[in-house]
Amino acid sequence: MNYGWKTERKFDIIAIGRACIDLNAVEYNRPMEETQTFSKYVGGSPANIVIGASKLGLRTGFIGKISNDQHGRFIEKYMRDMGIDTSNMVVDTEGHKTGLAFTEIKSPNECSILMYRENVADLYLTPAEINEDYLKETKILLVSGTALSRSPSREAVLRAMSLAKKNEVKIVFELDYRPYSWASADETGIYYSAVAEQSDVVIGTRDEYDVLENVIGGRNEDTTNYLFRHTPSIIVIKHGVDGSYAFTKAGATFRGHAYPSNVLKTFGAGDSYASAFLYALIHNKDLETALKYASASAAIVVSKHSSSEAMPTVDEIERIVNVNV
Amino acid sequence: MNYGWKTERKFDIIAIGRACIDLNAVEYNRPMEETQTFSKYVGGSPANIVIGASKLGLRTGFIGKISNDQHGRFIEKYMRDMGIDTSNMVVDTEGHKTGLAFTEIKSPNECSILMYRENVADLYLTPAEINEDYLKETKILLVSGTALSRSPSREAVLRAMSLAKKNEVKIVFELDYRPYSWASADETGIYYSAVAEQSDVVIGTRDEYDVLENVIGGRNEDTTNYLFRHTPSIIVIKHGVDGSYAFTKAGATFRGHAYPSNVLKTFGAGDSYASAFLYALIHNKDLETALKYASASAAIVVSKHSSSEAMPTVDEIERIVNVNV
Amino acid sequence: MNYGWKTERKFDIIAIGRACIDLNAVEYNRPMEETQTFSKYVGGSPANIVIGASKLGLRTGFIGKISNDQHGRFIEKYMRDMGIDTSNMVVDTEGHKTGLAFTEIKSPNECSILMYRENVADLYLTPAEINEDYLKETKILLVSGTALSRSPSREAVLRAMSLAKKNEVKIVFELDYRPYSWASADETGIYYSAVAEQSDVVIGTRDEYDVLENVIGGRNEDTTNYLFRHTPSIIVIKHGVDGSYAFTKAGATFRGHAYPSNVLKTFGAGDSYASAFLYALIHNKDLETALKYASASAAIVVSKHSSSEAMPTVDEIERIVNVNV
Amino acid sequence: MNYGWKTERKFDIIAIGRACIDLNAVEYNRPMEETQTFSKYVGGSPANIVIGASKLGLRTGFIGKISNDQHGRFIEKYMRDMGIDTSNMVVDTEGHKTGLAFTEIKSPNECSILMYRENVADLYLTPAEINEDYLKETKILLVSGTALSRSPSREAVLRAMSLAKKNEVKIVFELDYRPYSWASADETGIYYSAVAEQSDVVIGTRDEYDVLENVIGGRNEDTTNYLFRHTPSIIVIKHGVDGSYAFTKAGATFRGHAYPSNVLKTFGAGDSYASAFLYALIHNKDLETALKYASASAAIVVSKHSSSEAMPTVDEIERIVNVNV
């Protein structure tokens, strides 16, 4: 395959959106009320995806706003140490805090998250903080759905997309739908569909596409009929343990299967999936292979305690892919 | 000319946006501090345009939210009495008030407006209040720029546009830029350009296009180069006393000249211009004629005390056009 | 009587609170929907009271915040022209507007007001804008209840009261309860009771005292038992057409009767009542006489179109008092 | 000494205000950026004080609002397990979160706190949630200054104080000043002074009294002159390592000295001080002894990792007091 990447560009992926803190219960398999200790990790879907991509050897950057405190500084340093370019991570000057996610793991099937997302720094990124020269240097702009949930972050993303299109940067839209971030389902549908229509690749779960289309129990066929009338050329729809599908505008369909895993928790599955899928695309692997890499990466992360730290290497992924041929 | 209107549709124009109250100084040619009495009129750009269009014999409707008080009831009744369909004017249930504009006429060249636009009802129209069946019945959806300035009105307009496109309704975008309505120039540019790119006809002053393009001293050539790459097929750019231009995607340019007028104030010129321009379009008149009708209509309104009440008839417009051949 | 005024002081009364605009329907005895024209007057309870007091010859000043626009300038000039010291009227710098009251007079018994009170300038007076040297110069600080409804105006009033007490200024509390200004009845009761307990004179309707005490159908005896345990020495309770009562801490009770009037509307009755009552107190008239002056003043204002302009002279009041002995 | 406690009452102390979560860096003596793990404790000044008081054997209760999530449930259960009556802890129904304090211990002299206090549940306690029958059952109502920083919590405290006075409950005001909670220093001074004037016992640091009096470098003499003109009968002013003073309205002054301690951090010193001071008062010990108990309690807590868990027993306190005679 040849996806036509602009090979001369400095970055493979620049992500835009939130970088936050996960506080994971150290004592798990119990309600959080009984947890005494929490471990701190970088979190947030687009941050996790570039961390994963960077660990796979891709050249990555990040556009986002971080708090002017110990949590913000921890995030920036961790990402920089992971090889991600953080030159466009803006430090908030208005006292906004880093978003927090306390994770509770009662059992592999019962995970929940207690979110602190009130006036968080990431949602205060402004259009004026988007740098066209930076965007020119990347093959892919990865847009995270949650960054659309509030102004001015919403407008910053719209501005970044407009500049990306102007500079022939491919836009990958990871739906990353978090209901608590949004004012209403109507608003979500309006911005999700507007952004998806202008993206080259869209990745999400079946439930997330339902939100985008403002339907209940939507069908993949309707989704692809709708979106392929617009910009997208690849659409990925995930069905949890039933695997996932990649559709192309040309009419091809590929199915990926979930790999067996010793599941500890479900957090981080989607982010690791996306990072490995994009790794495969950047390396011009075919979509069938890309789905395998994505599923393998997800299988690894759900067996571990964190989302970001647990991101696998290429070797770890390929071992699973090759074993399960 | 044949603009390809869906002739079987019930309405020529349905406008979406604000319907407000103008309080015009009865004693003019003096500062408002010295005014003792104010006359009450319906105001707001999209309301004025449908009032004007209705007076010209077009079949019109209005989508908007009005306050649940004497001002809201006055507006609805006035518009209904003017022959406008008000079945989709929603009454606010959360205590929001009607927007007010106190007009001050110091001299024909020194007019100013004292606005009351804090949490006004019109900006609380929601996407759920947009009715697809209603939109199906019109040839044109007229979108007013100010309705994009705040959520949820912004999303209501985006929803209405999405439904309009789905149902082959032509979208006319009147820029109607009011700086005090907007959070920032960046935000304005982002939504103005997104909406203009998806509209069939765009109408505004040169200054308003500068806001849309986020430039200073923009040129018409750049504007048309940019927008004709997208949906628009007709672009109208107004240059005040220097007249106005209509551009077509096919490459034609038409110039309209301002007619002499005994100017009392400048308010309402743009709204009367738009209503007559759309009247000519609906009647498949060529663009040169449409510009004449528009300019004549504006010349009449600026010589009178109100914006809505002063809207001319076809006879009045044609008298000016014919006298000034 | 001798109420022990500090006779050497420059001002008789300094009021703190709102000065607004009344827009009175010119065409009355009809619903406002049918009104075409509105007359503009200065309004707002404490502004009306000092306008009335000034017309009666008292030396008055005003502490408040006004909008930086034509309405704010009109208010300041009108009050200055009426002889009120406006040196402590602060001009808002954050874009807040003047409060508006559109009055509707359907019949003498059916009057209503359409209020514009969203983020109005008067409620943005801050504690730092209270000037101790100014307060030292007055006999009475008149506190209007509505100024307590929101921060920072609430704290500005509390600061003014604290400085008044420190400088032996008598505090007169006019309850002036407007439900739409308050977040909850609980909050109203808490601040009304706290302020009343620290005031020297309290004036209000029976209904307003019920709000203060957080009761329904309260009795005058309970009110006076409660408040005379604290600072107040005079309590005035108004019962509409049934007249009003003045109670003293020493145990005396006086009753005032309403005078016959050709009622046009009920607005402004309370403000004219307060200004004449305070006039009588400043002139050391006994409470029986003060009640007569107050009732006569109210009878005059309810027969006229405005609240502020209609404030009577001493002659007009005394004519009624003397005729109705 | 006999402080005249209502001995028949069920509770010694009911506190009103915030109960939150402390997340204490497990790895200390380093910047928080380098911390990997956090331990979870109940925190918040009034919660800590009743936890300390309960550990000393006092009968305590708590009035406050907690989040409807794992953190809120943890707090309620922990306090209940400590023997505190939690029947008047109200569960928030509007999605507000528990306040968080991440503590950073760089060295014993360099401690800082990263606060999450955006729209926290404790500040949404309303006046309607204050139960008079509950307040009737206590000797002391402990008011925490931070609970005054925002509406409606502010009004809930004012209501509780009003009911306390009506029912002869002694009010102890712990100033507990947290600048980030307040809109302005002016506002702080206004409510701190209003509440202090109505309290029986006031406890704070010299800096906190400066805030109350809106002065810089205030003197204890001025503070006591001012407050003893009002309700307070005991005023405690703390000067850090220089010890603390207790003043009585009758004119007596007592000085307490800080005990030597192996200081780990400074958090929690004030809360443990207050709980032991009140323990001594409830047991009718003289003020000199009360200051010793308070200082000993503080010396113990600053040598330990948490604030709430570390609260000492009577034995531990008396051992220090007796050793350091």
Side-chain angles (χ1 to χ4, degrees):
Chain A
M1 286 294 299
N2 185 336
Y3 296 100
W5 303 113
K6 302 260 166 200
T7 51
E8 75 291 358
R9 298 213 167 166
K10 180 174 171 190
F11 296 110
D12 297 310
I13 305 174
I14 289 176
I16 184 167
R18 74 191 186 286
C20 301
I21 295 278
D22 284 352
L23 288 158
N24 290 5
V26 172
E27 306 89 358
Y28 50 84
N29 291 334
R30 71 189 65 179
M32 197 191 298
E33 289 87 329
E34 299 171 19
T35 298
Q36 174 72 29
T37 328
F38 295 92
S39 285
K40 178 179 69 170
Y41 298 102
V42 169
S45 172
N48 286 341
I49 293 174
V50 288
I51 288 168
S54 187
K55 209 151 166 190
L56 296 171
L58 298 186
R59 295 159 305 155
T60 60
F62 197 83
I63 301 171
K65 183 164 272 185
I66 51 175
S67 63
N68 186 14
D69 60 22
Q70 294 95 332
H71 285 348
R73 287 187 290 276
F74 166 73
I75 290 168
E76 190 279 331
K77 180 169 189 305
Y78 181 88
M79 292 179 73
R80 184 159 35 88
D81 288 348
M82 290 298 293
I84 298 157
D85 182 274
T86 61
S87 62
N88 278 252
M89 293 181 76
V90 184
V91 177
D92 175 84
T93 58
E94 295 170 312
H96 300 118
K97 295 289 194 293
T98 291
L100 304 178
F102 289 87
T103 61
E104 175 185 61
I105 306 173
K106 286 190 190 170
S107 75
N109 303 316
E110 289 175 288
C111 301
S112 70
I113 304 186
L114 172 50
M115 303 297 298
Y116 278 72
R117 296 282 303 158
E118 193 83 29
N119 289 326
V120 285
D122 57 84
L123 294 175
Y124 285 88
L125 186 71
T126 69
E129 289 161 341
I130 304 302
N131 180 352
E132 181 169 5
D133 288 338
Y134 192 58
L135 285 165
K136 278 180 186 168
E137 298 191 278
T138 187
K139 296 171 185 161
I140 288 174
L141 172 68
L142 176 82
V143 169
S144 162
T146 296
L148 296 164
S149 64
R150 296 273 169 201
S151 297
S153 165
R154 177 184 292 164
E155 289 77 30
V157 173
L158 295 176
R159 164 70 54 84
M161 289 181 63
S162 169
L163 294 172
K165 293 176 90 70
K166 183 177 160 196
N167 290 287
E168 299 178 72
V169 176
K170 297 284 183 195
I171 296 172
V172 176
F173 183 25
E174 224 294 343
L175 299 183
D176 176 35
Y177 174 60
R178 312 279 164 170
Y180 50 77
S181 301
W182 287 87
S184 71
D186 271 326
E187 209 173 292
T188 317
I190 287 163
Y191 290 104
Y192 266 38
S193 57
V195 167
E197 290 175 12
Q198 298 184 62
S199 299
D200 298 282
V201 180
V202 184
I203 304 173
T205 66
R206 182 60 252 167
D207 288 349
E208 289 175 328
Y209 282 98
D210 284 2
V211 169
L212 185 156
E213 299 169 66
N214 223 351
V215 298
I216 293 171
R219 300 183 317 148
N220 293 351
E221 192 184 342
D222 294 335
T223 303
T224 53
N225 279 345
Y226 155 53
L227 284 177
F228 283 140
R229 279 191 282 116
H230 296 88
T231 308
S233 57
I234 299 175
I235 294 172
V236 176
I237 307 181
K238 297 180 282 183
H239 289 256
V241 292
D242 295 334
S244 56
Y245 297 87
F247 303 91
T248 72
K249 199 170 215 150
T253 301
F254 303 90
R255 179 161 187 190
H257 295 275
Y259 291 105
S261 176
N262 186 13
V263 179
L264 170 61
K265 46 75 177 153
T266 52
F267 312 129
D271 303 335
S272 50
Y273 182 102
S275 58
F277 184 83
L278 293 176
Y279 166 81
L281 251 54
I282 286 286
H283 285 278
N284 290 318
K285 297 186 186 292
D286 58 44
L287 283 175
E288 194 170 354
T289 305
L291 291 175
K292 287 181 180 169
Y293 275 62
S295 299
S297 179
I300 292 165
V301 165
V302 296
S303 72
K304 302 198 173 168
H305 190 243
S306 81
S307 299
S308 50
E309 282 266 304
M311 288 289 177
T313 61
V314 176
D315 273 2
E316 292 176 284
I317 288 174
E318 293 185 342
R319 208 171 304 139
I320 289 182
V321 170
N322 294 332
V323 163
N324 294 276
V325 177
Chain B
M1 285 293 299
N2 184 336
Y3 296 100
W5 304 114
K6 302 259 166 201
T7 51
E8 76 290 358
R9 298 211 168 166
K10 180 174 170 190
F11 295 110
D12 297 308
I13 305 174
I14 289 177
I16 184 168
R18 75 192 186 283
C20 301
I21 295 279
D22 285 352
L23 288 159
N24 290 5
V26 172
E27 306 90 357
Y28 49 84
N29 290 333
R30 71 189 65 180
M32 197 190 299
E33 288 88 328
E34 299 172 17
T35 298
Q36 174 71 28
T37 327
F38 295 92
S39 286
K40 178 179 70 170
Y41 299 101
V42 170
S45 172
N48 285 341
I49 293 173
V50 288
I51 288 169
S54 187
K55 210 152 166 189
L56 296 170
L58 298 185
R59 294 159 305 157
T60 61
F62 198 83
I63 301 170
K65 184 164 271 186
I66 50 175
S67 62
N68 186 15
D69 59 21
Q70 294 96 330
H71 284 350
R73 288 188 290 274
F74 166 72
I75 290 168
E76 190 278 331
K77 181 169 189 305
Y78 182 88
M79 292 178 72
R80 185 160 32 91
D81 288 350
M82 291 298 293
I84 298 156
D85 182 273
T86 61
S87 62
N88 278 251
M89 293 181 75
V90 184
V91 177
D92 175 83
T93 58
E94 296 170 312
H96 300 118
K97 295 288 194 294
T98 292
L100 304 177
F102 289 88
T103 61
E104 174 185 60
I105 306 172
K106 287 190 189 169
S107 74
N109 304 318
E110 289 175 288
C111 301
S112 71
I113 302 187
L114 172 50
M115 303 297 298
Y116 278 72
R117 295 282 303 156
E118 192 83 29
N119 290 326
V120 285
D122 57 84
L123 294 175
Y124 286 88
L125 187 71
T126 69
E129 289 161 341
I130 304 302
N131 180 351
E132 180 169 6
D133 287 337
Y134 192 59
L135 285 165
K136 278 179 184 167
E137 300 191 277
T138 187
K139 296 171 185 163
I140 289 175
L141 172 68
L142 176 82
V143 169
S144 162
T146 296
L148 296 164
S149 63
R150 295 274 170 198
S151 296
S153 166
R154 176 185 292 164
E155 289 77 30
V157 172
L158 295 176
R159 165 69 54 86
M161 288 180 64
S162 169
L163 295 172
K165 292 174 92 71
K166 183 176 160 197
N167 291 287
E168 299 179 74
V169 175
K170 298 283 183 195
I171 296 171
V172 176
F173 183 25
E174 223 294 341
L175 299 183
D176 176 36
Y177 174 59
R178 311 280 163 171
Y180 50 76
S181 300
W182 287 87
S184 71
D186 271 326
E187 209 174 291
T188 316
I190 286 162
Y191 291 104
Y192 266 38
S193 57
V195 167
E197 290 175 11
Q198 298 184 61
S199 298
D200 298 282
V201 179
V202 184
I203 304 174
T205 65
R206 183 59 252 167
D207 288 348
E208 289 175 328
Y209 281 99
D210 285 3
V211 169
L212 184 157
E213 299 169 67
N214 223 352
V215 297
I216 292 171
R219 299 182 318 149
N220 293 350
E221 193 184 342
D222 295 335
T223 302
T224 53
N225 280 345
Y226 155 52
L227 284 178
F228 284 140
R229 279 191 281 115
H230 297 87
T231 307
S233 57
I234 298 175
I235 294 171
V236 176
I237 307 181
K238 297 179 283 183
H239 289 255
V241 292
D242 295 334
S244 55
Y245 297 87
F247 303 92
T248 72
K249 200 170 213 151
T253 300
F254 302 91
R255 177 159 187 191
H257 295 276
Y259 291 105
S261 176
N262 186 13
V263 180
L264 169 61
K265 46 74 178 155
T266 52
F267 312 129
D271 303 335
S272 50
Y273 182 102
S275 58
F277 185 82
L278 293 176
Y279 166 82
L281 252 54
I282 286 287
H283 285 278
N284 289 318
K285 296 184 187 292
D286 57 44
L287 284 175
E288 193 168 356
T289 306
L291 291 175
K292 286 180 181 169
Y293 275 61
S295 299
S297 178
I300 293 165
V301 166
V302 297
S303 72
K304 300 197 174 167
H305 190 242
S306 81
S307 299
S308 49
E309 282 267 304
M311 287 290 176
T313 61
V314 176
D315 274 1
E316 292 175 285
I317 288 174
E318 293 186 342
R319 209 170 303 138
I320 289 182
V321 170
N322 294 332
V323 163
N324 295 275
V325 177
Chain C
M1 284 294 298
N2 184 336
Y3 296 100
W5 304 113
K6 302 258 165 199
T7 51
E8 77 289 358
R9 298 211 167 167
K10 180 176 170 188
F11 296 109
D12 296 309
I13 304 174
I14 289 176
I16 184 166
R18 75 191 186 286
C20 301
I21 296 278
D22 285 353
L23 288 159
N24 290 5
V26 171
E27 306 89 358
Y28 47 84
N29 291 332
R30 71 188 67 180
M32 198 191 297
E33 288 87 330
E34 299 171 18
T35 298
Q36 176 69 30
T37 328
F38 295 93
S39 286
K40 179 179 68 170
Y41 299 102
V42 170
S45 173
N48 285 341
I49 294 173
V50 288
I51 289 168
S54 187
K55 209 150 166 191
L56 295 171
L58 298 186
R59 295 159 306 156
T60 61
F62 197 82
I63 301 171
K65 183 164 271 185
I66 51 175
S67 63
N68 186 15
D69 60 21
Q70 294 94 330
H71 285 349
R73 288 188 289 276
F74 167 72
I75 290 168
E76 189 279 331
K77 180 168 189 306
Y78 181 88
M79 291 178 72
R80 183 158 36 88
D81 288 349
M82 290 298 293
I84 298 157
D85 182 274
T86 61
S87 62
N88 277 252
M89 292 180 77
V90 183
V91 177
D92 176 82
T93 58
E94 296 170 311
H96 299 118
K97 295 287 193 296
T98 292
L100 304 177
F102 289 88
T103 61
E104 174 185 62
I105 306 172
K106 288 191 189 169
S107 74
N109 303 318
E110 289 176 287
C111 301
S112 72
I113 304 185
L114 173 49
M115 303 297 299
Y116 278 72
R117 295 281 305 158
E118 193 82 29
N119 289 327
V120 285
D122 58 84
L123 293 176
Y124 285 88
L125 186 71
T126 68
E129 289 161 340
I130 303 303
N131 180 350
E132 181 169 4
D133 287 339
Y134 192 58
L135 285 165
K136 278 180 184 167
E137 299 190 280
T138 187
K139 295 171 186 163
I140 288 174
L141 171 67
L142 177 81
V143 169
S144 162
T146 296
L148 296 164
S149 63
R150 297 273 168 199
S151 297
S153 166
R154 177 185 292 164
E155 289 78 29
V157 172
L158 294 176
R159 165 70 54 85
M161 287 180 64
S162 169
L163 294 172
K165 293 176 90 73
K166 181 175 160 197
N167 290 286
E168 298 178 75
V169 175
K170 297 284 183 195
I171 297 171
V172 176
F173 183 24
E174 221 296 341
L175 298 183
D176 176 35
Y177 173 60
R178 311 280 164 170
Y180 50 77
S181 302
W182 287 87
S184 71
D186 271 326
E187 207 173 294
T188 317
I190 287 163
Y191 291 104
Y192 266 39
S193 58
V195 167
E197 290 174 10
Q198 297 185 61
S199 299
D200 299 282
V201 179
V202 184
I203 304 173
T205 65
R206 182 61 250 166
D207 287 349
E208 289 175 327
Y209 281 98
D210 285 1
V211 169
L212 185 156
E213 299 168 65
N214 223 351
V215 297
I216 293 171
R219 300 184 315 150
N220 293 350
E221 192 184 343
D222 295 335
T223 303
T224 52
N225 279 346
Y226 156 52
L227 284 177
F228 284 140
R229 278 191 281 117
H230 297 88
T231 308
S233 57
I234 298 175
I235 294 172
V236 176
I237 306 180
K238 297 180 282 184
H239 289 256
V241 291
D242 295 335
S244 55
Y245 297 87
F247 302 92
T248 71
K249 200 169 214 152
T253 301
F254 303 90
R255 179 161 187 190
H257 295 277
Y259 290 105
S261 177
N262 186 13
V263 179
L264 170 62
K265 45 73 181 160
T266 52
F267 313 129
D271 303 335
S272 51
Y273 182 102
S275 57
F277 185 82
L278 293 176
Y279 166 82
L281 251 53
I282 287 286
H283 285 277
N284 290 319
K285 296 187 187 291
D286 57 45
L287 284 174
E288 192 169 357
T289 305
L291 290 176
K292 287 181 180 170
Y293 275 62
S295 300
S297 179
I300 292 165
V301 166
V302 296
S303 72
K304 300 196 175 170
H305 190 242
S306 80
S307 298
S308 50
E309 282 267 304
M311 288 289 178
T313 61
V314 175
D315 273 2
E316 291 177 285
I317 288 174
E318 293 186 342
R319 209 171 305 136
I320 289 183
V321 170
N322 294 333
V323 164
N324 293 276
V325 178
Chain D
M1 285 294 300
N2 184 335
Y3 295 100
W5 304 113
K6 302 259 166 200
T7 50
E8 78 288 359
R9 298 210 168 168
K10 179 175 171 188
F11 296 110
D12 296 310
I13 305 174
I14 289 176
I16 184 167
R18 75 191 186 285
C20 301
I21 295 279
D22 285 353
L23 287 158
N24 290 4
V26 172
E27 306 89 358
Y28 48 84
N29 290 334
R30 71 189 64 178
M32 198 191 299
E33 288 88 327
E34 299 172 19
T35 298
Q36 176 69 29
T37 328
F38 294 92
S39 286
K40 179 179 70 170
Y41 298 101
V42 170
S45 173
N48 286 341
I49 293 173
V50 287
I51 288 169
S54 186
K55 209 152 168 188
L56 295 171
L58 298 186
R59 295 160 304 156
T60 61
F62 198 82
I63 302 170
K65 183 165 271 185
I66 50 175
S67 63
N68 186 16
D69 60 21
Q70 294 95 330
H71 285 350
R73 288 188 288 275
F74 166 73
I75 290 168
E76 190 279 332
K77 181 169 190 305
Y78 181 89
M79 291 179 73
R80 185 159 34 88
D81 288 349
M82 290 297 294
I84 298 157
D85 182 273
T86 60
S87 61
N88 277 253
M89 294 180 75
V90 184
V91 177
D92 176 82
T93 58
E94 296 171 310
H96 299 117
K97 295 287 195 293
T98 291
L100 304 177
F102 290 88
T103 60
E104 174 185 60
I105 306 172
K106 288 190 189 169
S107 74
N109 303 317
E110 288 175 289
C111 301
S112 71
I113 303 186
L114 172 49
M115 303 297 299
Y116 278 71
R117 296 281 305 157
E118 193 84 28
N119 288 328
V120 285
D122 58 83
L123 294 176
Y124 286 88
L125 185 72
T126 68
E129 289 161 341
I130 304 302
N131 180 351
E132 180 169 4
D133 286 339
Y134 193 57
L135 284 166
K136 278 180 185 168
E137 299 191 279
T138 187
K139 295 171 185 162
I140 289 174
L141 171 68
L142 177 81
V143 169
S144 162
T146 297
L148 296 164
S149 63
R150 296 274 170 199
S151 297
S153 166
R154 177 185 291 165
E155 289 77 29
V157 173
L158 295 176
R159 164 70 55 85
M161 288 180 65
S162 170
L163 294 172
K165 293 175 90 72
K166 183 177 159 197
N167 290 287
E168 299 179 74
V169 176
K170 297 284 183 192
I171 297 172
V172 176
F173 183 24
E174 222 295 341
L175 299 183
D176 176 35
Y177 174 60
R178 311 280 163 171
Y180 51 77
S181 301
W182 287 88
S184 71
D186 269 327
E187 210 174 290
T188 317
I190 287 163
Y191 290 103
Y192 266 39
S193 57
V195 168
E197 291 175 10
Q198 297 184 62
S199 299
D200 298 283
V201 179
V202 184
I203 304 175
T205 65
R206 182 59 251 167
D207 287 349
E208 289 175 328
Y209 281 98
D210 284 3
V211 170
L212 184 157
E213 299 169 67
N214 223 350
V215 297
I216 293 171
R219 300 183 316 150
N220 293 351
E221 191 184 343
D222 295 336
T223 302
T224 53
N225 279 345
Y226 155 53
L227 284 177
F228 283 140
R229 278 190 282 116
H230 297 89
T231 307
S233 57
I234 299 176
I235 294 171
V236 176
I237 306 180
K238 297 180 283 183
H239 289 255
V241 292
D242 295 334
S244 56
Y245 297 86
F247 303 91
T248 71
K249 200 170 213 152
T253 300
F254 302 91
R255 179 162 188 188
H257 295 276
Y259 289 105
S261 176
N262 186 11
V263 180
L264 169 62
K265 46 75 181 156
T266 52
F267 312 128
D271 302 335
S272 50
Y273 182 102
S275 58
F277 185 82
L278 293 177
Y279 167 82
L281 252 52
I282 286 287
H283 285 277
N284 289 320
K285 297 186 186 291
D286 58 45
L287 284 175
E288 193 169 355
T289 304
L291 290 176
K292 287 180 179 169
Y293 275 61
S295 299
S297 179
I300 292 165
V301 166
V302 296
S303 72
K304 302 199 174 166
H305 190 241
S306 80
S307 298
S308 49
E309 282 267 305
M311 287 290 177
T313 61
V314 175
D315 273 2
E316 292 176 283
I317 288 174
E318 293 187 342
R319 208 171 306 136
I320 290 182
V321 169
N322 294 333
V323 162
N324 294 274
V325 176

